[in-house]
Amino acid sequence: VLPLSGLNIESLELERVAVRDAGGVMRALGGLSSGTRDCFMLAARLTLAVSSRGSEPGLLLFDDAFAALDASRRAAAIDLLRHFQSETGWQIVVFTKDRMFFDALEKDPRIARLALE
């Protein structure tokens, strides 16, 4: 989700988390764009989900978690969710008002969709 990035976590306090940006500079999470922070949070959520349940599948809920992502990061997030689901068996529910995100998910026959308009 964050190509060519690094991560440094000194503690679980968000101000102590640093991510390497595309230019190679380590930056505090709070100093990054909302899209980059959302990518980090997606990766952190998936990591915490697996570590909390071990090999036992669970359920993840996302409520407009991808609204700040540009098209390329949105595609990477969708690919990551698909890979995560196929590898772990977790069920994933995404609530979104973002029509482009919804349409991108609609192309996958394994993902159930419900549009409320």
Side-chain angles (χ1 to χ4, degrees):
V1 176
L2 298 170
L4 303 174
S5 64
L7 181 63
N8 181 34
I9 300 176
E10 294 177 12
S11 78
L12 294 179
E13 300 169 23
L14 286 184
E15 58 272 1
R16 305 281 309 237
V17 176
V19 177
R20 186 177 320 281
D21 68 12
V25 177
M26 290 299 281
R27 298 185 183 266
L29 194 59
L32 300 174
S33 70
S34 57
T36 301
R37 283 192 309 267
D38 287 351
C39 289
F40 168 79
M41 293 307 294
L42 172 60
R45 286 180 181 121
L46 297 179
T47 300
L48 289 171
V50 169
S51 67
S52 70
R53 306 223 6 145
S55 62
E56 183 180 333
L59 172 69
L60 283 174
L61 301 174
F62 293 96
D63 184 12
D64 252 340
F66 311 103
L69 301 182
D70 59 27
S72 63
R73 285 191 174 147
R74 183 181 301 120
I78 291 170
D79 288 344
L80 182 59
L81 289 176
R82 287 181 178 140
H83 178 75
F84 178 83
Q85 194 284 323
S86 68
E87 290 292 315
T88 65
W90 280 61
Q91 294 182 21
I92 300 172
V93 176
V94 178
F95 297 94
T96 185
K97 58 184 177 271
D98 181 341
R99 190 65 192 186
M100 288 175 32
F101 191 80
F102 182 85
D103 291 344
L105 290 174
E106 194 170 37
K107 296 174 186 170
D108 192 328
R110 298 170 300 167
I111 298 173
R113 294 152 313 279
L114 173 63
L116 300 175
E117 300 188 35

